[in-house]
Amino acid sequence: MTEKQWRECLGELVRDYIRSPELEYYFSIKMNKPRAAVMVKQQSLFVRHRRDCWAHVSANCPVLGVKQRILEHEYEEIIRDDFSDYGHLHLIIRQGKSVGLEPEEIINAEPLPETRATLYAWSWMTSEMSWTESLAGMTITEWCNDDRLLGDLGGGQSTRMAKKWMEDMGFTWKQIPNLQAHSQADEKHSDMFLPFLAEHATGKKEAPAIQAAKDSLAFNAMYRKGIALAQERIPL
């Protein structure tokens, strides 16, 4: 497929994902601070785990251009970008303060069963599958925050959740820096790896890469459903 065709293919998968029953359930939960704290803790595990997964993709990939692009991506996530001088985990810690969490509670968070299963799945995908499959599986999760693609469906994950925090708890953008950053930063990250899929995920490699993208979205849906289930058990 061409780069344009890859964009259309992955875009349709993400649009189906955002309309899935799991995501509808995830966004249906009315938010209060204890429920929001569940999301912050699990998101901290998600963010830190992705650093391992991207490292796996890089280690398995022989293409220098891909490795360079991953390093660029990870520099913005871990070191510095337009949204933080300390990396995106710092944004989560700042957001956690808004719902009463201390940094230690976030750093030492225990994964929900669904979170643990999802992180195991992504670890296996990125370490054991081919680099073109794992690249497709990792990059498509960035698309879940892309308002350009999902604006007519209410926006990407971060934008929609930001609206919930504002509507349900009266928060401002300043109080939700992680959601604010990812409602914007992942538009750039969505575009970063399309040229490499068009160049390298070709022939017999194309279908497995698409399947990996589908599987990764299924993992993401399970992770989000687990958060919603745990939140619903907390009274309003």
Side-chain angles (χ1 to χ4, degrees), residues 4-236:
K4 179 181 178 182
Q5 289 170 324
W6 270 105
R7 184 185 298 278
E8 292 171 352
C9 174
L10 297 184
E12 284 306 308
L13 294 180
V14 173
R15 287 175 64 82
D16 287 343
Y17 159 83
I18 209 74
R19 292 183 293 232
S20 69
E22 293 90 345
L23 268 291
E24 289 299 318
Y25 175 47
Y26 176 66
F27 289 117
S28 73
I29 303 298
K30 189 170 179 62
M31 208 61 58
N32 60 17
K33 287 187 177 181
R35 289 180 171 186
V38 172
M39 192 194 90
V40 171
K41 289 181 179 180
Q42 299 308 301
Q43 193 71 15
S44 77
L45 294 163
F46 172 92
V47 165
R48 283 177 283 168
H49 183 262
R50 288 180 67 78
R51 313 291 62 89
D52 294 338
C53 290
W54 277 115
H56 292 156
V57 180
S58 181
N60 289 332
C61 176
V63 180
L64 181 60
V66 176
K67 292 177 181 289
Q68 290 172 325
R69 194 61 57 84
I70 291 172
L71 283 173
E72 177 186 347
H73 178 280
E74 291 299 270
Y75 181 88
E76 293 180 353
E77 290 279 350
I78 302 173
I79 308 298
R80 179 181 299 163
D81 66 1
D82 293 338
F83 306 98
S84 174
D85 290 334
Y86 307 100
H88 287 190
L89 181 59
H90 184 252
L91 296 174
I92 291 176
I93 290 172
R94 286 170 52 200
Q95 188 161 312
K97 186 177 180 180
S98 298
V99 296
L101 289 173
E102 296 296 329
E104 294 77 14
E105 295 178 273
I106 297 171
I107 297 298
N108 298 318
E110 284 293 318
L112 296 167
E114 295 85 355
T115 299
R116 191 185 300 276
T118 301
L119 302 190
Y120 284 158
W122 271 317
S123 285
W124 184 88
M125 171 179 279
T126 54
S127 60
E128 300 300 324
M129 297 175 76
S130 71
W131 73 266
T132 49
E133 290 171 281
S134 58
L135 180 65
M138 286 297 288
T139 191
I140 199 166
T141 59
E142 311 275 356
W143 292 47
C144 300
N145 286 321
D146 194 331
D147 287 346
R148 299 169 303 177
L149 173 65
L150 301 167
D152 63 319
L153 299 177
Q157 288 174 162
S158 291
T159 295
R160 288 182 67 177
M161 189 54 68
K163 291 175 182 176
K164 282 195 65 65
W165 283 44
M166 292 175 178
E167 292 169 3
D168 293 353
M169 297 186 291
F171 281 13
T172 65
W173 280 114
K174 186 177 180 179
Q175 293 172 288
I176 49 176
N178 184 60
L179 291 173
Q180 182 181 30
H182 285 90
S183 69
Q184 301 173 46
D186 285 340
E187 290 188 3
K188 175 184 177 182
H189 290 174
S190 295
D191 298 333
M192 291 181 81
F193 298 101
L194 280 172
F196 299 109
L197 291 174
E199 182 178 356
H200 297 284
T202 58
K204 292 182 179 179
K205 297 178 182 179
E206 182 180 290
I210 294 170
Q211 185 60 53
K214 292 178 180 178
D215 291 344
S216 188
L217 290 175
F219 302 158
N220 206 6
M222 178 173 67
Y223 161 71
R224 307 283 165 181
K225 181 179 179 180
I227 291 173
L229 286 167
Q231 289 173 326
E232 198 168 41
R233 290 193 289 268
I234 298 172
L236 282 171

